[in-house]
Amino acid sequence: MDRARPVTVRRSREPALWLLFSAGGTLAALGLPAVVFVLWVGPAVGWVAVPPHGTLSALLGGAGVRLVLFVVIALALYHWAHRFRYTLYDGLQLYHLHQLIATLTYGVATLLTVASAMVLFL
């Protein structure tokens, strides 16, 4: 009797990368315009009072706020990496550098995520 070898299926990292891409894009699209308005546009046109330095410092002093800020920064970086990667592929037709571009873009996103963790938590 001939025994068949079990078939091994290679798992793709693509679903995890798409999850990071879509979560980062959603948070960036919903959250960053509000932050830009409250901190820069609103005070410039006189619609919103400039938050005092003490208020912003007290807000960022809590661990929960720092954690949320870290998650938003990390997801936005991975959104950028994924978008930039496919811009290089499709826009500049650099398909032959697939592995190098993927390593560089996600590597930069990872390094900047670690740097943001160091700034926020150390």
Side-chain angles (χ1 to χ4, degrees):
M1 184 175 200
D2 187 26
R3 292 190 177 205
R5 287 186 180 169
V7 177
T8 57
V9 177
R10 184 172 175 241
R11 290 187 167 222
S12 173
R13 292 183 304 262
E14 211 53 37
L17 297 177
W18 274 101
L19 176 67
L20 292 172
F21 169 74
S22 62
T26 301
L27 286 176
L30 295 175
L32 290 180
V35 170
V36 168
F37 178 78
V38 168
L39 294 179
W40 293 291
V41 176
V45 296
W47 293 344
V48 177
V50 178
H53 177 71
T55 303
L56 290 177
S57 213
L59 178 67
L60 290 176
V65 174
R66 288 183 186 191
L67 182 63
V68 168
L69 189 58
F70 171 73
V71 169
V72 169
I73 290 170
L75 290 176
L77 285 170
Y78 281 102
H79 177 79
W80 164 82
H82 195 80
R83 172 124 3 217
F84 191 65
R85 173 184 172 195
Y86 282 97
T87 297
L88 292 176
Y89 290 164
D90 297 335
L92 297 178
Q93 302 296 313
L94 297 176
Y95 294 107
H96 60 284
L97 299 174
H98 172 75
Q99 190 64 36
L100 176 66
I101 290 171
T103 302
L104 286 176
T105 54
Y106 294 120
V108 167
T110 301
L111 287 174
L112 290 176
T113 298
V114 169
S116 70
M118 291 173 59
V119 167
L120 287 169
F121 298 110
L122 295 180

